[in-house]
Amino acid sequence: MVGQILGLIALWFGVGFAVIGIVGLLRFPDVYTRIHAAGKVSTLGLVGILAGVALLMPEATPRAIVLTLFAVVTLPVSSHAIASAAYQRGMRGKNYVRDDLSAVVGGSAGSESDGAR
Amino acid sequence: MAIAVLALPLALIWMLLNNQLTPDSFLVGYLLGAGVAAAAGAGRARLRGRTLPRQAVALIVYSVILARDIFLSGIDVAHKALNPKTLRPGILAVDPLDRRGLYAALSAHSITITPGQLVVEFDHENTMYVHCLDVVASDSTVASDQRKRLRLFKRILGDG
């Protein structure tokens, strides 16, 4: 009974974070900030949902734990790959306070932004 | 030697994934784990029985710190997602303090796991370029965070 209540709380926590991740994906201004929203906030969403599964379905608990570890360890790799590819393609952020990397890569003139719509 | 030890946690993961905590399942997992460890080059790794417990403790400490960071900064980023005007994005150069590829790669992975910071690129000297959602707040903490992170990595890998 207590497990079920905790499981539902974890599930709703996860779903809430997944929704906020999508909101961030839509509202953030450029590629890099959007990667943060999609990759990171959604990690917490996934962890919450898997924790809910672990608590609500005892027969799937070990699998949920291992899946959580795999997801947390592998998600940053795709975030990093997308960010790196975007920078090398010449996409620059909008209104950046500071960009130490542009001096190294040699930013394209007129700081091109991505096609944020 | 190293392969025989490293196959143990892999056998545990195998048993958890299959949901079968039986001796049979352990044996299959152990053999497969030994194969994976050998393929990953564990044959060259050196394990010293004396420092192994310390390394395991350091790994657990690191996991707990990481879990706390992911949780706290996840909430912070969620707050920013709902108030995009509070963003102060930017890219900082961060010195990994140890320019060997292994430590730079582990540090970059660790930084990227934590919400709010994301490693975009390395230069030829393995300096990391970190994209931050709040560059002003991150600027004051990245250097000391990296120092702590590197100390833990070295303890986990039994390197001082």
Side-chain angles (χ1 to χ4, degrees), chain A residues 1-109:
Chain A
M1 187 60 199
V2 178
Q4 278 193 328
I5 293 171
L6 284 178
L8 283 175
I9 292 173
L11 207 60
W12 280 107
F13 175 85
V15 171
F17 266 94
V19 170
I20 292 172
I22 298 299
V23 170
L25 188 67
L26 293 171
R27 291 182 69 181
F28 278 175
D30 62 24
V31 198
Y32 308 102
T33 46
R34 283 176 174 170
I35 294 171
H36 283 286
K40 313 308 187 51
V41 181
S42 307
T43 307
L44 259 189
L46 186 63
V47 170
I49 291 170
L50 284 171
V53 169
L55 288 164
L56 290 174
M57 299 173 62
E59 69 276 12
T61 303
R63 225 172 281 191
I65 293 170
V66 176
L67 273 179
T68 308
L69 284 179
F70 284 163
V72 170
V73 169
T74 54
L75 272 167
V77 179
S78 54
S79 295
H80 170 72
I82 296 170
S84 178
Y87 208 95
Q88 280 173 15
R89 287 274 291 135
M91 289 178 182
R92 298 294 180 264
K94 285 194 286 195
N95 307 322
Y96 272 21
V97 181
R98 191 173 149 186
D99 186 350
D100 291 349
L101 183 53
S102 63
V104 183
V105 177
S108 53

Side-chain angles (χ1 to χ4, degrees), chain B residues 16-157:
Chain B
L16 291 177
L17 266 182
N18 281 301
N19 241 345
Q20 285 181 316
L21 301 173
T22 61
D24 283 5
S25 169
F26 176 79
L27 196 67
V28 175
Y30 191 78
L31 292 176
L32 282 174
V36 170
R44 281 177 286 118
R46 57 201 162 76
L47 292 180
R48 282 157 303 175
R50 243 169 353 108
T51 57
L52 211 54
R54 213 173 131 228
Q55 286 173 263
V57 169
L59 183 62
I60 292 168
V61 169
Y62 173 66
S63 307
V64 171
I65 292 176
L66 199 61
R68 195 201 59 186
D69 282 356
I70 290 176
F71 187 76
L72 290 179
S73 44
I75 289 171
D76 184 45
V77 175
H79 177 76
K80 289 195 174 68
L82 300 174
N83 306 285
K85 288 207 173 69
T86 60
L87 284 180
R88 283 181 291 186
I91 297 179
L92 294 173
V94 179
D95 183 350
L97 302 174
D98 187 320
R99 294 183 180 277
R100 278 175 287 177
L102 175 63
Y103 288 110
L106 280 176
S107 304
H109 187 259
S110 169
I111 289 173
T112 307
I113 284 183
T114 317
Q117 296 185 342
L118 164 68
V119 174
V120 176
E121 196 59 277
F122 286 103
D123 66 13
H124 298 297
E125 288 164 334
N126 279 350
T127 302
M128 303 182 282
Y129 291 89
V130 184
H131 183 278
C132 312
L133 283 184
D134 188 338
V135 79
V136 182
S138 294
D139 191 22
S140 55
T141 57
V142 277
S144 66
D145 283 351
Q146 176 61 19
R147 223 173 297 127
K148 285 179 212 152
R149 197 177 287 129
L150 192 70
R151 201 162 51 219
L152 267 173
F153 284 150
K154 288 197 163 167
R155 215 181 295 159
I156 290 170
L157 295 173

